[in-house]
């Protein structure tokens, strides 16, 4: 039971990562590789700040700000530097590896005997796996509510329009480049926030902890979309979080079946591949059935 509750907590914490990636990947249609640098950047900033005596809440905010700066860097490289979107993200991700080493002073920094959000007085007496659910739920509710409010503003609608059709958005007086930078700042801010939360929950930050997180985020998005079908944009934000939790359940089940934990990255990639392929196969089967039924009715 503890493992299932812990999986829910992990799913909620990584839900912020999924929502951040959803903003760039789905709304902006931007393959943002910055993610794998932003996530450990947020973790490094949060853990380093806490070890230097900063309040855990403020350290978490700093992790989000760090992610926003990373997104801003990618956005400026892509829009002002006129770089291909993919290359801009890769450059920022590569640079962040060295920056993370500078921030932590070494490749791995522990929070041993240090306060954090999950050891606060508010959560005193609660098991660690329950604390992650409480903190994750609070963060996700705040993030989703704020994003829904933002997307329903005039600026938010312009942001969505720029992601749907840049040419149309420009004809409406919207600057697509500015919207792209805004999306990268917001999205990577949430990813940095997720990094800070996960690092505090795990008790350490590592320079390589961002490897493969883009797969986790994509899995959350695609599983959520496959499970819940056609939804409004606001509902899709919640679906991403639920997809993140389901993904954690799938990984837990796979490990329970006796698979080697060293194969976790491989398993994650397979889960994502299956989540992408199965709906396409189902759609083809439905199309063939419709065509056959059409041919029979004509006969």
């Amino acid at each position: 039971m503890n493992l299932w509750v812990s999986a829910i907590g992990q799913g909620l914490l990584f839900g912020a990562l999924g929502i951040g990636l959803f903003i760039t990947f789905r709304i902006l249609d931007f393959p943002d590789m910055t993610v794998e640098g932003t996530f450990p950047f947020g973790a490094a900033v949060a853990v380093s700040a806490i070890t230097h005596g900063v309040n855990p809440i403020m350290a978490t905010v700093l992790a989000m700000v760090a992610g926003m700066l990373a997104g801003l860097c990618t956005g400026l490289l892509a829009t002002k530097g006129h770089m291909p979107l993919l290359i801009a993200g890769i450059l920022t991700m590569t640079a962040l590896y060295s920056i993370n080493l500078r921030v932590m002073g070494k490749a791995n920094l522990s929070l041993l005997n240090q306060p954090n959000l999950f050891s606060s007085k508010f959560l005193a007496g609660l098991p660690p796996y329950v604390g992650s659910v409480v903190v994750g739920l609070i963060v996700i509710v705040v993030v989703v509510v704020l994003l829904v409010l933002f997307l329903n503003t005039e600026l938010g609608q312009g942001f969505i329009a720029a992601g749907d059709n840049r040419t149309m958005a420009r004809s409406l007086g919207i600057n697509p480049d500015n919207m792209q930078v805004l999306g990268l700042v917001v999205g990577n801010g949430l990813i940095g926030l997720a990094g800070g939360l996960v690092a505090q929950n795990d008790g350490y930050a590592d320079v390589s902890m961002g490897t493969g997180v883009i797969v986790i985020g994509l899995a959350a998005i695609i599983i959520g979309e496959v499970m819940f079908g056609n939804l409004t944009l606001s509902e899709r934000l919640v679906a991403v979080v639920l997809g993140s939790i389901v993904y954690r359940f799938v990984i837990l089940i796979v490990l329970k079946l006796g698979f080697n934990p060293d194969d976790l990255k491989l398993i994650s990639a397979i889960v994502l591949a299956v989540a992408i392929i199965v709906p396409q196969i189902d759609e083809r089967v439905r199309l063939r059935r419709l065509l056959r039924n059409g041919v029979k009715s004509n006969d």
Side-chain angles (χ1 to χ4, degrees):
M1 187 63 185
N2 296 352
L3 291 175
W4 292 106
V5 176
S6 179
I8 294 174
Q10 286 288 315
L12 288 170
L13 297 180
F14 277 96
L17 165 71
I19 293 174
L21 190 59
F22 177 83
I23 291 173
T24 55
F25 183 71
R26 278 289 186 250
I27 298 180
L28 287 178
D29 193 24
F30 178 44
D32 183 22
M33 291 301 296
T34 317
V35 173
E36 300 208 353
T38 304
F39 186 83
F41 188 32
V45 169
V47 172
S48 181
I50 291 173
T51 57
H52 284 81
V54 177
N55 181 279
I57 296 177
M58 182 56 65
T60 306
V61 173
L62 290 175
M64 183 173 65
V65 173
M68 294 172 73
L69 291 175
L72 177 63
C73 182
T74 299
L76 293 177
L77 287 175
T79 58
K80 306 304 179 183
H82 303 289
M83 288 186 181
L85 304 179
L86 193 61
I87 293 178
I90 292 174
L91 286 178
T92 305
M93 176 189 70
T94 304
L96 284 174
Y97 185 89
S98 296
I99 293 174
N100 290 336
L101 287 173
R102 289 282 187 178
V103 170
M104 294 191 293
K106 50 186 175 180
N108 185 290
L109 188 60
S110 175
L111 278 175
L112 185 64
N113 299 323
Q114 296 287 341
N116 60 70
L117 284 179
F118 303 91
S119 63
S120 63
K121 295 180 181 179
F122 175 72
L123 300 174
L126 292 178
Y129 55 88
V130 176
S132 64
V133 174
V134 174
V135 173
L137 192 58
I138 292 173
V139 170
I140 290 300
V141 169
V142 172
V143 167
V144 170
V145 169
L146 290 178
L147 278 178
V148 170
L149 291 175
F150 164 71
L151 292 175
N152 283 286
T153 63
E154 184 176 346
L155 178 60
Q157 291 299 305
F159 173 69
I160 295 171
D164 286 340
N165 191 317
R166 291 175 62 89
T167 303
M168 181 192 71
R170 190 175 285 108
S171 68
L172 295 173
I174 300 169
N175 189 322
D177 288 346
N178 290 345
M179 294 298 104
Q180 190 172 68
V181 172
L182 174 63
L184 287 166
V185 168
V186 174
N188 280 278
L190 292 175
I191 293 165
L193 171 65
L197 292 171
V198 171
Q200 291 181 67
N201 187 51
D202 293 346
Y204 71 94
D206 190 279
V207 72
S208 62
M209 68 188 299
T211 304
V213 293
I214 192 170
V215 174
I216 297 174
L218 290 174
I221 294 170
I222 293 169
I223 290 174
E225 291 176 343
V226 170
M227 288 184 60
F228 301 102
N230 295 325
L231 301 170
T232 65
L233 184 57
S234 300
E235 292 170 341
R236 289 172 75 184
L237 296 176
V238 179
V240 169
V241 178
L242 295 177
S244 177
I245 295 173
V246 172
Y247 169 79
R248 285 290 151 186
F249 283 163
V250 172
I251 295 298
L252 179 58
I253 292 171
V254 168
L255 294 177
K256 280 286 189 179
L257 292 175
F259 285 84
N260 193 326
D262 292 339
D263 297 330
L264 190 58
K265 299 295 184 185
L266 174 62
I267 294 169
S268 299
I270 293 173
V271 169
L272 177 58
V274 171
I276 294 174
I277 294 172
V278 170
Q280 295 181 2
I281 295 176
D282 183 59
E283 186 65 26
R284 291 178 182 177
V285 171
R286 288 181 182 180
L287 181 60
R288 288 177 181 176
R289 286 177 181 174
L290 288 173
L291 291 174
R292 288 174 184 174
N293 292 335
V295 171
K296 290 180 181 180
S297 63
N298 290 332
D299 294 340

